[in-house]
Amino acid sequence: MVFLTAVRFLRQPSPDSWWKRNRIFQMSKYFYGRNRNCYSLAIRAVHKALDRARVTRVAQGSDARQLAITRIHSAALEHGMEYRIFISSLNKCHIALNRPILSSLAIYEPRTFKSLVELCQTKSIEDGLDTLNKRPEHIITRGML
Amino acid sequence: MSSATRTSAYLKNILQNGVGRYVCQLQRVTFQFCKSRGDSKGIRDFIETHLVDFAKQNAGVAVYVQPRRHRRPYVIAEYLNGAKVDFCVHEQNADEVSRWLEHLRTRCGVQIQRLRKQHHTDHPSIQGQWTPFVNLPTELNTTQFPSENLSRAIQRQPTATQKILDMAAKQQAASGDQGSENKPV
């Protein structure tokens, strides 16, 4: 009898490394120099890139929100109101507009944004938060705010 | 996978589809399978049970069945815009195949890729986009700078000088009244 199992097990061909390496090279196509062509360097660069992408993904949300807040603050200042009072007055009036929408309004629909600011000015004056500005006369609340 | 190695696009879709008349974007679907291989069992079961019903319900879609020996099973969808999507259904059962087919039937041929923005509009602004001059008074166009009027501080409360002048005026008015009362008739 001929026992071939052991011999065959010893002489197994190694799997083609192209498949494993190409998964890394797909992601390193635009890297600088040998980081895109040499596997040992590319794998380190790719892992770093993926880690940085993860961190950025988390920071994106808060960055976008901060940008919207900055825009709302500067737009409201044009009409003589601060961001914090504007937002708190909006909440008291039960106007559920979020910060991305408010910043879009400030950029693309400036008159709508102005009317919102004036409404909040009226509300803050009626509440007694604002003692410096005059109450806008064209806004009629009838004490319902 | 990092997004820099893949293409990205702005939102673009056949949004007018369904506003008037709905047109199924799937043009033809080809089922490739092997009659003997085990990984094609699901698609074979699907062809036996659900395919004829699918073809009857979707008369606008051309259905082709292609047996190919010793190869993996595929569902190839071709769309009205010329796009081709080949979908491997290796070792999937008939239920999974029919669910993926439903996905292919209801989508259009636009390539699925990362969207740069989740919104698109041809008319972003109706009131006119903000410029630094939108909220400024138009009198500034004809004002000579430096302007005395605009350089003055905004008075929110009367100044001390103003208060004294007001008090003096009041006193004057009061004494004037008293004087007129005491005047002989």
Side-chain angles (χ1 to χ4, degrees), chain A residues 23 26-30 50 78-79 106-114 131-133, chain B residues 1-2 4-6 117 123-132 134-136 156-157:
Chain A
R23 277 171 61 80
Q26 273 171 5
M27 289 189 270
S28 72
K29 276 282 172 280
Y30 65 98
L50 290 173
E78 277 200 327
H79 303 293
I107 295 165
Y108 294 110
E109 318 291 349
R111 292 183 202 175
T112 307
F113 190 80
K114 184 181 177 184
T131 49
L132 295 176
N133 291 319
Chain B
M1 288 284 190
S2 63
T5 49
R6 302 290 168 98
K117 278 188 193 177
H123 311 286
S125 179
I126 293 166
Q127 293 169 5
Q129 196 165 338
W130 181 89
T131 65
V134 159
N135 291 317
L136 292 175
R156 306 230 187 248
Q157 265 133 34

Side-chain angles (χ1 to χ4, degrees), chain A residues 74-125:
Chain A
S74 49
L77 275 179
E78 277 200 327
H79 303 293
M81 198 170 209
E82 283 181 357
Y83 163 82
R84 56 191 178 93
I85 298 168
F86 178 53
I87 287 287
S88 62
S89 303
L90 276 177
N91 289 335
K92 283 175 192 168
C93 298
H94 306 299
I95 295 169
L97 290 172
N98 59 355
R99 281 143 191 84
I101 288 291
L102 284 170
S103 62
S104 296
L105 287 175
I107 295 165
Y108 294 110
E109 318 291 349
R111 292 183 202 175
T112 307
F113 190 80
K114 184 181 177 184
S115 63
L116 282 171
V117 170
E118 283 176 346
L119 180 70
C120 289
Q121 264 170 359
T122 314
K123 173 70 179 165
S124 61
I125 288 164

Side-chain angles (χ1 to χ4, degrees), chain B residues 30-34 37-49 51 72-76 87 89-94 97:
Chain B
T30 311
F31 295 89
Q32 291 176 346
F33 66 103
C34 177
R37 264 170 68 118
D39 59 1
S40 297
K41 179 157 194 327
I43 195 169
R44 271 181 268 139
D45 290 340
F46 172 81
I47 290 165
E48 280 169 21
T49 53
L51 184 62
R72 283 188 153 201
Y74 280 91
V75 175
I76 298 168
F87 202 83
V89 288
H90 164 81
E91 285 185 0
Q92 285 186 13
N93 56 32
V97 172

Side-chain angles (χ1 to χ4, degrees), chain B residues 69-122:
Chain B
R69 272 188 299 176
H70 316 312
R71 281 196 186 83
R72 283 188 153 201
Y74 280 91
V75 175
I76 298 168
E78 283 167 81
Y79 291 94
L80 291 173
N81 69 344
K84 196 170 168 186
V85 172
D86 25 45
F87 202 83
C88 184
V89 288
H90 164 81
E91 285 185 0
Q92 285 186 13
N93 56 32
D95 176 55
E96 282 175 335
V97 172
S98 65
R99 286 213 289 224
W100 277 118
L101 182 63
E102 181 63 18
H103 159 75
L104 291 170
R105 183 186 75 82
T106 49
R107 65 168 278 207
C108 75
V110 166
Q111 191 188 1
I112 293 174
Q113 53 191 172
R114 180 179 71 89
L115 291 173
R116 291 185 174 199
K117 278 188 193 177
Q118 293 295 323
H119 49 271
H120 168 77
T121 171
D122 290 324

